[in-house]
Amino acid sequence: MYLKKGFKILSLILASIIIFYFFYYSLFQEKKFNPKVMIGSQMPNLQSKTLYKNKVLSLSNIVSNEKFIVNIFASWCAPCKIEHPVLMQLKNSKIKIIGINYKDNQKNAKAFIEKYQNPFEKVLIDSDGALSIQLGAFGVPETFLVDKNFTIIAKHIGPIDNNFVKKVINLK
Amino acid sequence: MKFFLVFIISWFSIAYANEVQDRTNSITKNLRCLVCEGQSVYESNSDFAKDIKTFVSKKIKEKNTDEDIYEFLISKYGEEIILNPDFSNKFIFLWIAPILFFLIGIFFIFRRSDEIR
């Protein structure tokens, strides 16, 4: 009888611990979005008009057999201004950066680049957000590091920093 | 005759636009706005949600099926983007758990009533 009662209490405690663990785990799990989904997958061969020449280009027309960076930016995005010097630093390291100008006014985008200098090899226009969706992006700024086989190695949400630069420089 | 043709063409284009809108709404109601708190893409007005709505509508016009659109978005954003996940191995616990807990509850109630008798 006592053994049966003890077993019941033990089961109750065990069940409580399991339920508590599930709730606790769910509470602290960052489930809102998973930025790692695109890592390791093939970079889509984005195709769009360019900002300066208004000519349709695809990524494979701009880069071949080399690592490169894809950066989503907009003139109206404040964090993009913060990361701009880091992009310039990467440009000076001879790494090609392809800009994706997200839902922007072309005149403002050009003014932005003129004001803060141009780190981009080419800028593709993303007028309706379709290019960003192909990249699995959530907003601006977002940056992708792509290796020479067109595989996405890293994705950074928000303004890039020196850690990202290190990652880029260390990638062969 | 001219008027009749214009009427027919307008009628068809309105019907088609409505059909695209209905399908867009039904798909986006089942998509999670990943940058919002507990809203579907359909309910949200965030940039992310607006982009997805435009994208879904564009894909429908390009004759993609609902499955094609879901599959594409899952490949870009993961299963999290779906509000009502399919009955797959990954979510089997989610579907089975309520039934399982219900059966366990019934079992204990019957056992208890037997003990009382």
mmCIF file of all heavy atoms in Angstrom, chain A residues 1-48:
data_model
loop_
_atom_site.group_PDB
_atom_site.id
_atom_site.type_symbol
_atom_site.label_atom_id
_atom_site.label_comp_id
_atom_site.label_asym_id
_atom_site.label_seq_id
_atom_site.Cartn_x
_atom_site.Cartn_y
_atom_site.Cartn_z
ATOM 1 N N MET A 1 0.835 -1.218 0.000
ATOM 2 C CA MET A 1 0.000 0.000 0.000
ATOM 3 C C MET A 1 0.862 1.258 0.000
ATOM 4 O O MET A 1 0.662 2.157 -0.811
ATOM 5 C CB MET A 1 -0.912 -0.045 1.246
ATOM 6 C CG MET A 1 -1.884 1.106 1.324
ATOM 7 S SD MET A 1 -3.152 0.974 0.048
ATOM 8 C CE MET A 1 -3.935 2.544 0.213
ATOM 9 N N TYR A 2 1.884 1.247 0.912
ATOM 10 C CA TYR A 2 2.792 2.406 1.004
ATOM 11 C C TYR A 2 3.611 2.541 -0.265
ATOM 12 O O TYR A 2 3.854 3.638 -0.762
ATOM 13 C CB TYR A 2 3.714 2.275 2.223
ATOM 14 C CG TYR A 2 3.038 2.678 3.507
ATOM 15 C CD1 TYR A 2 2.833 1.774 4.532
ATOM 16 C CD2 TYR A 2 2.593 3.996 3.677
ATOM 17 C CE1 TYR A 2 2.207 2.147 5.702
ATOM 18 C CE2 TYR A 2 1.965 4.374 4.851
ATOM 19 C CZ TYR A 2 1.763 3.455 5.868
ATOM 20 O OH TYR A 2 1.143 3.822 7.009
ATOM 21 N N LEU A 3 3.986 1.345 -0.803
ATOM 22 C CA LEU A 3 4.792 1.313 -2.033
ATOM 23 C C LEU A 3 4.002 1.913 -3.191
ATOM 24 O O LEU A 3 4.511 2.692 -3.983
ATOM 25 C CB LEU A 3 5.178 -0.144 -2.332
ATOM 26 C CG LEU A 3 6.324 -0.305 -3.336
ATOM 27 C CD1 LEU A 3 7.632 0.096 -2.654
ATOM 28 C CD2 LEU A 3 6.403 -1.737 -3.809
ATOM 29 N N LYS A 4 2.707 1.556 -3.245
ATOM 30 C CA LYS A 4 1.817 2.045 -4.299
ATOM 31 C C LYS A 4 1.665 3.567 -4.207
ATOM 32 O O LYS A 4 1.714 4.272 -5.213
ATOM 33 C CB LYS A 4 0.456 1.368 -4.143
ATOM 34 C CG LYS A 4 -0.275 1.226 -5.463
ATOM 35 C CD LYS A 4 -1.540 0.457 -5.273
ATOM 36 C CE LYS A 4 -2.380 0.555 -6.515
ATOM 37 N NZ LYS A 4 -3.681 -0.055 -6.301
ATOM 38 N N LYS A 5 1.525 4.042 -2.963
ATOM 39 C CA LYS A 5 1.363 5.481 -2.741
ATOM 40 C C LYS A 5 2.642 6.222 -3.144
ATOM 41 O O LYS A 5 2.598 7.257 -3.806
ATOM 42 C CB LYS A 5 1.040 5.735 -1.266
ATOM 43 C CG LYS A 5 0.348 7.066 -1.061
ATOM 44 C CD LYS A 5 -0.033 7.258 0.371
ATOM 45 C CE LYS A 5 -0.554 8.661 0.589
ATOM 46 N NZ LYS A 5 -0.773 8.911 2.010
ATOM 47 N N GLY A 6 3.775 5.618 -2.747
ATOM 48 C CA GLY A 6 5.079 6.200 -3.087
ATOM 49 C C GLY A 6 5.279 6.269 -4.576
ATOM 50 O O GLY A 6 5.764 7.272 -5.111
ATOM 51 N N PHE A 7 4.833 5.221 -5.272
ATOM 52 C CA PHE A 7 4.958 5.180 -6.726
ATOM 53 C C PHE A 7 4.132 6.287 -7.380
ATOM 54 O O PHE A 7 4.561 6.957 -8.313
ATOM 55 C CB PHE A 7 4.524 3.797 -7.239
ATOM 56 C CG PHE A 7 4.558 3.682 -8.724
ATOM 57 C CD1 PHE A 7 5.770 3.581 -9.406
ATOM 58 C CD2 PHE A 7 3.377 3.685 -9.475
ATOM 59 C CE1 PHE A 7 5.802 3.486 -10.790
ATOM 60 C CE2 PHE A 7 3.411 3.597 -10.850
ATOM 61 C CZ PHE A 7 4.623 3.489 -11.505
ATOM 62 N N LYS A 8 2.922 6.484 -6.830
ATOM 63 C CA LYS A 8 2.020 7.522 -7.356
ATOM 64 C C LYS A 8 2.646 8.903 -7.199
ATOM 65 O O LYS A 8 2.645 9.710 -8.128
ATOM 66 C CB LYS A 8 0.678 7.484 -6.618
ATOM 67 C CG LYS A 8 -0.316 6.551 -7.236
ATOM 68 C CD LYS A 8 -1.628 6.667 -6.505
ATOM 69 C CE LYS A 8 -2.639 5.679 -7.050
ATOM 70 N NZ LYS A 8 -3.827 5.631 -6.209
ATOM 71 N N ILE A 9 3.195 9.153 -6.013
ATOM 72 C CA ILE A 9 3.814 10.464 -5.753
ATOM 73 C C ILE A 9 5.008 10.676 -6.671
ATOM 74 O O ILE A 9 5.179 11.739 -7.277
ATOM 75 C CB ILE A 9 4.221 10.579 -4.258
ATOM 76 C CG1 ILE A 9 2.951 10.637 -3.414
ATOM 77 C CG2 ILE A 9 5.070 11.829 -4.009
ATOM 78 C CD1 ILE A 9 3.178 10.525 -1.928
ATOM 79 N N LEU A 10 5.797 9.599 -6.816
ATOM 80 C CA LEU A 10 6.980 9.690 -7.675
ATOM 81 C C LEU A 10 6.582 9.988 -9.133
ATOM 82 O O LEU A 10 7.182 10.831 -9.798
ATOM 83 C CB LEU A 10 7.759 8.371 -7.594
ATOM 84 C CG LEU A 10 9.169 8.442 -8.156
ATOM 85 C CD1 LEU A 10 10.075 9.204 -7.189
ATOM 86 C CD2 LEU A 10 9.732 7.041 -8.383
ATOM 87 N N SER A 11 5.520 9.307 -9.603
ATOM 88 C CA SER A 11 5.057 9.539 -10.982
ATOM 89 C C SER A 11 4.591 10.973 -11.143
ATOM 90 O O SER A 11 4.838 11.615 -12.168
ATOM 91 C CB SER A 11 3.897 8.631 -11.360
ATOM 92 O OG SER A 11 4.057 7.395 -10.822
ATOM 93 N N LEU A 12 3.878 11.457 -10.102
ATOM 94 C CA LEU A 12 3.365 12.826 -10.146
ATOM 95 C C LEU A 12 4.512 13.839 -10.230
ATOM 96 O O LEU A 12 4.473 14.774 -11.040
ATOM 97 C CB LEU A 12 2.522 13.084 -8.891
ATOM 98 C CG LEU A 12 1.489 14.183 -9.033
ATOM 99 C CD1 LEU A 12 0.400 13.748 -9.994
ATOM 100 C CD2 LEU A 12 0.894 14.534 -7.679
ATOM 101 N N ILE A 13 5.528 13.605 -9.396
ATOM 102 C CA ILE A 13 6.695 14.511 -9.397
ATOM 103 C C ILE A 13 7.387 14.463 -10.755
ATOM 104 O O ILE A 13 7.713 15.499 -11.354
ATOM 105 C CB ILE A 13 7.684 14.146 -8.264
ATOM 106 C CG1 ILE A 13 7.045 14.439 -6.904
ATOM 107 C CG2 ILE A 13 9.002 14.913 -8.397
ATOM 108 C CD1 ILE A 13 7.823 13.933 -5.715
ATOM 109 N N LEU A 14 7.544 13.238 -11.271
ATOM 110 C CA LEU A 14 8.214 13.055 -12.560
ATOM 111 C C LEU A 14 7.447 13.763 -13.681
ATOM 112 O O LEU A 14 8.023 14.483 -14.500
ATOM 113 C CB LEU A 14 8.322 11.555 -12.855
ATOM 114 C CG LEU A 14 9.511 11.158 -13.707
ATOM 115 C CD1 LEU A 14 10.794 11.361 -12.914
ATOM 116 C CD2 LEU A 14 9.389 9.709 -14.149
ATOM 117 N N ALA A 15 6.111 13.576 -13.673
ATOM 118 C CA ALA A 15 5.274 14.220 -14.696
ATOM 119 C C ALA A 15 5.371 15.738 -14.577
ATOM 120 O O ALA A 15 5.478 16.440 -15.586
ATOM 121 C CB ALA A 15 3.828 13.764 -14.530
ATOM 122 N N SER A 16 5.379 16.247 -13.325
ATOM 123 C CA SER A 16 5.482 17.698 -13.112
ATOM 124 C C SER A 16 6.802 18.224 -13.665
ATOM 125 O O SER A 16 6.840 19.271 -14.308
ATOM 126 C CB SER A 16 5.405 18.048 -11.639
ATOM 127 O OG SER A 16 4.297 17.469 -11.085
ATOM 128 N N ILE A 17 7.884 17.464 -13.392
ATOM 129 C CA ILE A 17 9.201 17.896 -13.880
ATOM 130 C C ILE A 17 9.215 17.951 -15.409
ATOM 131 O O ILE A 17 9.663 18.937 -15.999
ATOM 132 C CB ILE A 17 10.320 16.959 -13.352
ATOM 133 C CG1 ILE A 17 10.494 17.158 -11.845
ATOM 134 C CG2 ILE A 17 11.646 17.219 -14.072
ATOM 135 C CD1 ILE A 17 11.429 16.189 -11.165
ATOM 136 N N ILE A 18 8.643 16.929 -16.048
ATOM 137 C CA ILE A 18 8.626 16.889 -17.521
ATOM 138 C C ILE A 18 7.827 18.063 -18.069
ATOM 139 O O ILE A 18 8.271 18.781 -18.969
ATOM 140 C CB ILE A 18 8.068 15.531 -18.032
ATOM 141 C CG1 ILE A 18 9.049 14.405 -17.669
ATOM 142 C CG2 ILE A 18 7.837 15.562 -19.542
ATOM 143 C CD1 ILE A 18 8.521 13.016 -17.875
ATOM 144 N N ILE A 19 6.636 18.298 -17.503
ATOM 145 C CA ILE A 19 5.789 19.407 -17.979
ATOM 146 C C ILE A 19 6.493 20.736 -17.745
ATOM 147 O O ILE A 19 6.534 21.597 -18.626
ATOM 148 C CB ILE A 19 4.397 19.365 -17.302
ATOM 149 C CG1 ILE A 19 3.635 18.140 -17.812
ATOM 150 C CG2 ILE A 19 3.606 20.633 -17.576
ATOM 151 C CD1 ILE A 19 2.388 17.799 -17.047
ATOM 152 N N PHE A 20 7.097 20.888 -16.562
ATOM 153 C CA PHE A 20 7.809 22.127 -16.242
ATOM 154 C C PHE A 20 8.936 22.356 -17.248
ATOM 155 O O PHE A 20 9.108 23.468 -17.759
ATOM 156 C CB PHE A 20 8.379 22.054 -14.814
ATOM 157 C CG PHE A 20 9.201 23.248 -14.440
ATOM 158 C CD1 PHE A 20 8.593 24.449 -14.078
ATOM 159 C CD2 PHE A 20 10.597 23.203 -14.464
ATOM 160 C CE1 PHE A 20 9.355 25.554 -13.750
ATOM 161 C CE2 PHE A 20 11.357 24.307 -14.140
ATOM 162 C CZ PHE A 20 10.739 25.486 -13.776
ATOM 163 N N TYR A 21 9.646 21.254 -17.565
ATOM 164 C CA TYR A 21 10.757 21.376 -18.509
ATOM 165 C C TYR A 21 10.259 21.859 -19.860
ATOM 166 O O TYR A 21 10.831 22.765 -20.462
ATOM 167 C CB TYR A 21 11.483 20.027 -18.652
ATOM 168 C CG TYR A 21 12.535 20.049 -19.744
ATOM 169 C CD1 TYR A 21 13.772 20.659 -19.529
ATOM 170 C CD2 TYR A 21 12.277 19.489 -20.996
ATOM 171 C CE1 TYR A 21 14.713 20.703 -20.531
ATOM 172 C CE2 TYR A 21 13.223 19.526 -22.001
ATOM 173 C CZ TYR A 21 14.445 20.133 -21.767
ATOM 174 O OH TYR A 21 15.369 20.189 -22.755
ATOM 175 N N PHE A 22 9.120 21.278 -20.356
ATOM 176 C CA PHE A 22 8.573 21.667 -21.658
ATOM 177 C C PHE A 22 8.218 23.148 -21.689
ATOM 178 O O PHE A 22 8.554 23.872 -22.617
ATOM 179 C CB PHE A 22 7.325 20.834 -21.984
ATOM 180 C CG PHE A 22 7.660 19.599 -22.764
ATOM 181 C CD1 PHE A 22 7.482 18.346 -22.217
ATOM 182 C CD2 PHE A 22 8.161 19.692 -24.065
ATOM 183 C CE1 PHE A 22 7.800 17.202 -22.931
ATOM 184 C CE2 PHE A 22 8.486 18.559 -24.783
ATOM 185 C CZ PHE A 22 8.301 17.307 -24.214
ATOM 186 N N PHE A 23 7.543 23.604 -20.623
ATOM 187 C CA PHE A 23 7.138 25.013 -20.565
ATOM 188 C C PHE A 23 8.353 25.932 -20.480
ATOM 189 O O PHE A 23 8.425 26.953 -21.155
ATOM 190 C CB PHE A 23 6.195 25.259 -19.374
ATOM 191 C CG PHE A 23 4.781 24.877 -19.677
ATOM 192 C CD1 PHE A 23 4.236 23.718 -19.161
ATOM 193 C CD2 PHE A 23 3.996 25.675 -20.486
ATOM 194 C CE1 PHE A 23 2.929 23.354 -19.453
ATOM 195 C CE2 PHE A 23 2.694 25.323 -20.786
ATOM 196 C CZ PHE A 23 2.163 24.149 -20.264
ATOM 197 N N TYR A 24 9.305 25.539 -19.642
ATOM 198 C CA TYR A 24 10.500 26.352 -19.432
ATOM 199 C C TYR A 24 11.295 26.465 -20.742
ATOM 200 O O TYR A 24 11.707 27.532 -21.147
ATOM 201 C CB TYR A 24 11.365 25.691 -18.348
ATOM 202 C CG TYR A 24 12.541 26.530 -17.908
ATOM 203 C CD1 TYR A 24 12.385 27.550 -16.981
ATOM 204 C CD2 TYR A 24 13.809 26.298 -18.429
ATOM 205 C CE1 TYR A 24 13.452 28.325 -16.590
ATOM 206 C CE2 TYR A 24 14.894 27.071 -18.042
ATOM 207 C CZ TYR A 24 14.709 28.069 -17.115
ATOM 208 O OH TYR A 24 15.775 28.837 -16.741
ATOM 209 N N TYR A 25 11.419 25.307 -21.428
ATOM 210 C CA TYR A 25 12.158 25.255 -22.679
ATOM 211 C C TYR A 25 11.480 26.139 -23.729
ATOM 212 O O TYR A 25 12.124 26.917 -24.425
ATOM 213 C CB TYR A 25 12.215 23.798 -23.150
ATOM 214 C CG TYR A 25 12.957 23.595 -24.438
ATOM 215 C CD1 TYR A 25 14.347 23.649 -24.480
ATOM 216 C CD2 TYR A 25 12.275 23.325 -25.627
ATOM 217 C CE1 TYR A 25 15.035 23.460 -25.665
ATOM 218 C CE2 TYR A 25 12.952 23.128 -26.813
ATOM 219 C CZ TYR A 25 14.329 23.194 -26.832
ATOM 220 O OH TYR A 25 14.994 23.012 -28.002
ATOM 221 N N SER A 26 10.133 26.038 -23.817
ATOM 222 C CA SER A 26 9.392 26.820 -24.810
ATOM 223 C C SER A 26 9.500 28.308 -24.525
ATOM 224 O O SER A 26 9.564 29.130 -25.426
ATOM 225 C CB SER A 26 7.914 26.454 -24.799
ATOM 226 O OG SER A 26 7.773 25.088 -24.845
ATOM 227 N N LEU A 27 9.518 28.643 -23.233
ATOM 228 C CA LEU A 27 9.555 30.046 -22.829
ATOM 229 C C LEU A 27 10.851 30.734 -23.247
ATOM 230 O O LEU A 27 10.854 31.877 -23.680
ATOM 231 C CB LEU A 27 9.396 30.115 -21.304
ATOM 232 C CG LEU A 27 8.980 31.436 -20.706
ATOM 233 C CD1 LEU A 27 7.572 31.783 -21.161
ATOM 234 C CD2 LEU A 27 9.017 31.364 -19.181
ATOM 235 N N PHE A 28 11.943 30.012 -23.125
ATOM 236 C CA PHE A 28 13.236 30.639 -23.399
ATOM 237 C C PHE A 28 13.802 30.312 -24.775
ATOM 238 O O PHE A 28 14.883 30.743 -25.114
ATOM 239 C CB PHE A 28 14.245 30.267 -22.306
ATOM 240 C CG PHE A 28 13.909 30.928 -21.005
ATOM 241 C CD1 PHE A 28 13.263 30.231 -20.008
ATOM 242 C CD2 PHE A 28 14.188 32.275 -20.798
ATOM 243 C CE1 PHE A 28 12.911 30.847 -18.817
ATOM 244 C CE2 PHE A 28 13.846 32.899 -19.617
ATOM 245 C CZ PHE A 28 13.207 32.188 -18.616
ATOM 246 N N GLN A 29 13.063 29.537 -25.550
ATOM 247 C CA GLN A 29 13.561 29.197 -26.874
ATOM 248 C C GLN A 29 13.264 30.347 -27.839
ATOM 249 O O GLN A 29 12.117 30.791 -27.937
ATOM 250 C CB GLN A 29 12.886 27.921 -27.365
ATOM 251 C CG GLN A 29 13.659 27.269 -28.468
ATOM 252 C CD GLN A 29 12.858 26.143 -29.078
ATOM 253 O OE1 GLN A 29 11.650 26.076 -28.921
ATOM 254 N NE2 GLN A 29 13.535 25.285 -29.780
ATOM 255 N N GLU A 30 14.305 30.829 -28.539
ATOM 256 C CA GLU A 30 14.133 31.900 -29.519
ATOM 257 C C GLU A 30 13.584 31.285 -30.798
ATOM 258 O O GLU A 30 14.316 30.744 -31.605
ATOM 259 C CB GLU A 30 15.486 32.575 -29.774
ATOM 260 C CG GLU A 30 15.424 33.817 -30.642
ATOM 261 C CD GLU A 30 14.483 34.893 -30.158
ATOM 262 O OE1 GLU A 30 14.752 35.491 -29.103
ATOM 263 O OE2 GLU A 30 13.488 35.143 -30.834
ATOM 264 N N LYS A 31 12.241 31.310 -30.917
ATOM 265 C CA LYS A 31 11.629 30.603 -32.042
ATOM 266 C C LYS A 31 11.105 31.537 -33.119
ATOM 267 O O LYS A 31 10.540 31.094 -34.101
ATOM 268 C CB LYS A 31 10.471 29.751 -31.520
ATOM 269 C CG LYS A 31 10.895 28.351 -31.129
ATOM 270 C CD LYS A 31 9.725 27.483 -30.936
ATOM 271 C CE LYS A 31 9.088 27.194 -32.281
ATOM 272 N NZ LYS A 31 8.442 25.943 -32.376
ATOM 273 N N LYS A 32 11.270 32.834 -32.880
ATOM 274 C CA LYS A 32 10.628 33.779 -33.774
ATOM 275 C C LYS A 32 11.064 33.567 -35.224
ATOM 276 O O LYS A 32 10.278 33.444 -36.116
ATOM 277 C CB LYS A 32 10.926 35.198 -33.337
ATOM 278 C CG LYS A 32 9.691 35.892 -32.823
ATOM 279 C CD LYS A 32 10.022 37.215 -32.266
ATOM 280 C CE LYS A 32 9.680 38.288 -33.249
ATOM 281 N NZ LYS A 32 10.076 39.599 -32.760
ATOM 282 N N PHE A 33 12.337 33.541 -35.447
ATOM 283 C CA PHE A 33 12.794 33.178 -36.781
ATOM 284 C C PHE A 33 14.146 32.497 -36.701
ATOM 285 O O PHE A 33 14.887 32.680 -35.753
ATOM 286 C CB PHE A 33 12.829 34.379 -37.714
ATOM 287 C CG PHE A 33 13.496 35.605 -37.179
ATOM 288 C CD1 PHE A 33 14.873 35.678 -37.067
ATOM 289 C CD2 PHE A 33 12.741 36.691 -36.818
ATOM 290 C CE1 PHE A 33 15.479 36.824 -36.598
ATOM 291 C CE2 PHE A 33 13.347 37.831 -36.329
ATOM 292 C CZ PHE A 33 14.707 37.901 -36.223
ATOM 293 N N ASN A 34 14.377 31.711 -37.697
ATOM 294 C CA ASN A 34 15.587 30.917 -37.704
ATOM 295 C C ASN A 34 16.502 31.395 -38.824
ATOM 296 O O ASN A 34 16.357 31.008 -39.974
ATOM 297 C CB ASN A 34 15.193 29.443 -37.897
ATOM 298 C CG ASN A 34 16.388 28.541 -37.806
ATOM 299 O OD1 ASN A 34 17.502 28.990 -37.565
ATOM 300 N ND2 ASN A 34 16.171 27.269 -38.022
ATOM 301 N N PRO A 35 17.455 32.282 -38.486
ATOM 302 C CA PRO A 35 18.295 32.849 -39.550
ATOM 303 C C PRO A 35 19.250 31.845 -40.174
ATOM 304 O O PRO A 35 19.903 32.148 -41.149
ATOM 305 C CB PRO A 35 19.047 33.974 -38.840
ATOM 306 C CG PRO A 35 18.984 33.668 -37.404
ATOM 307 C CD PRO A 35 17.799 32.786 -37.178
ATOM 308 N N LYS A 36 19.312 30.640 -39.601
ATOM 309 C CA LYS A 36 20.282 29.666 -40.114
ATOM 310 C C LYS A 36 19.752 28.853 -41.291
ATOM 311 O O LYS A 36 20.509 28.082 -41.880
ATOM 312 C CB LYS A 36 20.701 28.731 -38.978
ATOM 313 C CG LYS A 36 21.585 29.436 -37.966
ATOM 314 C CD LYS A 36 22.027 28.506 -36.879
ATOM 315 C CE LYS A 36 22.885 29.284 -35.876
ATOM 316 N NZ LYS A 36 22.964 28.608 -34.607
ATOM 317 N N VAL A 37 18.462 29.032 -41.616
ATOM 318 C CA VAL A 37 17.862 28.190 -42.660
ATOM 319 C C VAL A 37 18.654 28.235 -43.972
ATOM 320 O O VAL A 37 18.903 27.212 -44.588
ATOM 321 C CB VAL A 37 16.391 28.612 -42.918
ATOM 322 C CG1 VAL A 37 15.798 27.853 -44.090
ATOM 323 C CG2 VAL A 37 15.553 28.360 -41.682
ATOM 324 N N MET A 38 19.073 29.429 -44.367
ATOM 325 C CA MET A 38 19.728 29.579 -45.677
ATOM 326 C C MET A 38 21.209 29.179 -45.671
ATOM 327 O O MET A 38 21.800 29.015 -46.726
ATOM 328 C CB MET A 38 19.607 31.030 -46.154
ATOM 329 C CG MET A 38 18.214 31.429 -46.585
ATOM 330 S SD MET A 38 17.628 30.509 -48.006
ATOM 331 C CE MET A 38 18.566 31.266 -49.317
ATOM 332 N N ILE A 39 21.788 29.055 -44.482
ATOM 333 C CA ILE A 39 23.212 28.748 -44.424
ATOM 334 C C ILE A 39 23.465 27.331 -44.935
ATOM 335 O O ILE A 39 22.804 26.385 -44.541
ATOM 336 C CB ILE A 39 23.769 28.956 -42.995
ATOM 337 C CG1 ILE A 39 23.663 30.443 -42.661
ATOM 338 C CG2 ILE A 39 25.220 28.485 -42.882
ATOM 339 C CD1 ILE A 39 23.976 30.791 -41.247
ATOM 340 N N GLY A 40 24.417 27.231 -45.843
ATOM 341 C CA GLY A 40 24.750 25.932 -46.437
ATOM 342 C C GLY A 40 23.984 25.680 -47.728
ATOM 343 O O GLY A 40 24.280 24.743 -48.452
ATOM 344 N N SER A 41 22.995 26.545 -48.010
ATOM 345 C CA SER A 41 22.266 26.335 -49.271
ATOM 346 C C SER A 41 22.870 27.187 -50.390
ATOM 347 O O SER A 41 23.696 28.057 -50.148
ATOM 348 C CB SER A 41 20.776 26.610 -49.103
ATOM 349 O OG SER A 41 20.578 27.873 -48.558
ATOM 350 N N GLN A 42 22.429 26.899 -51.579
ATOM 351 C CA GLN A 42 22.960 27.577 -52.763
ATOM 352 C C GLN A 42 22.425 29.009 -52.839
ATOM 353 O O GLN A 42 21.231 29.230 -52.630
ATOM 354 C CB GLN A 42 22.510 26.770 -53.988
ATOM 355 C CG GLN A 42 23.256 27.059 -55.250
ATOM 356 C CD GLN A 42 24.676 26.501 -55.254
ATOM 357 O OE1 GLN A 42 25.086 25.795 -54.343
ATOM 358 N NE2 GLN A 42 25.435 26.834 -56.261
ATOM 359 N N MET A 43 23.308 29.938 -53.130
ATOM 360 C CA MET A 43 22.879 31.331 -53.292
ATOM 361 C C MET A 43 22.042 31.428 -54.572
ATOM 362 O O MET A 43 22.495 31.007 -55.636
ATOM 363 C CB MET A 43 24.130 32.221 -53.391
ATOM 364 C CG MET A 43 23.869 33.644 -53.817
ATOM 365 S SD MET A 43 22.677 34.536 -52.832
ATOM 366 C CE MET A 43 23.602 35.255 -51.563
ATOM 367 N N PRO A 44 20.800 31.924 -54.478
ATOM 368 C CA PRO A 44 20.008 32.045 -55.710
ATOM 369 C C PRO A 44 20.670 33.038 -56.676
ATOM 370 O O PRO A 44 21.258 34.029 -56.234
ATOM 371 C CB PRO A 44 18.660 32.579 -55.229
ATOM 372 C CG PRO A 44 18.790 32.868 -53.788
ATOM 373 C CD PRO A 44 20.110 32.415 -53.300
ATOM 374 N N ASN A 45 20.576 32.739 -57.936
ATOM 375 C CA ASN A 45 21.197 33.622 -58.936
ATOM 376 C C ASN A 45 20.284 34.829 -59.168
ATOM 377 O O ASN A 45 19.580 34.923 -60.164
ATOM 378 C CB ASN A 45 21.435 32.833 -60.225
ATOM 379 C CG ASN A 45 22.306 33.604 -61.190
ATOM 380 O OD1 ASN A 45 23.004 34.543 -60.816
ATOM 381 N ND2 ASN A 45 22.247 33.227 -62.453
ATOM 382 N N LEU A 46 20.308 35.743 -58.211
ATOM 383 C CA LEU A 46 19.413 36.901 -58.242
ATOM 384 C C LEU A 46 19.577 37.684 -59.545
ATOM 385 O O LEU A 46 20.695 37.882 -60.019
ATOM 386 C CB LEU A 46 19.713 37.823 -57.064
ATOM 387 C CG LEU A 46 19.680 37.193 -55.671
ATOM 388 C CD1 LEU A 46 20.139 38.190 -54.634
ATOM 389 C CD2 LEU A 46 18.291 36.677 -55.346
ATOM 390 N N GLN A 47 18.448 38.127 -60.048
ATOM 391 C CA GLN A 47 18.478 38.859 -61.312
ATOM 392 C C GLN A 47 17.589 40.089 -61.202
ATOM 393 O O GLN A 47 16.441 39.982 -60.764
ATOM 394 C CB GLN A 47 17.964 37.937 -62.416
ATOM 395 C CG GLN A 47 18.283 38.434 -63.786
ATOM 396 C CD GLN A 47 17.805 37.470 -64.845
ATOM 397 O OE1 GLN A 47 16.723 36.917 -64.746
ATOM 398 N NE2 GLN A 47 18.607 37.268 -65.866
ATOM 399 N N SER A 48 18.145 41.233 -61.569
ATOM 400 C CA SER A 48 17.349 42.465 -61.503
ATOM 401 C C SER A 48 18.066 43.583 -62.236
ATOM 402 O O SER A 48 19.210 43.426 -62.665
ATOM 403 C CB SER A 48 17.143 42.844 -60.045
ATOM 404 O OG SER A 48 16.381 44.013 -59.947
#
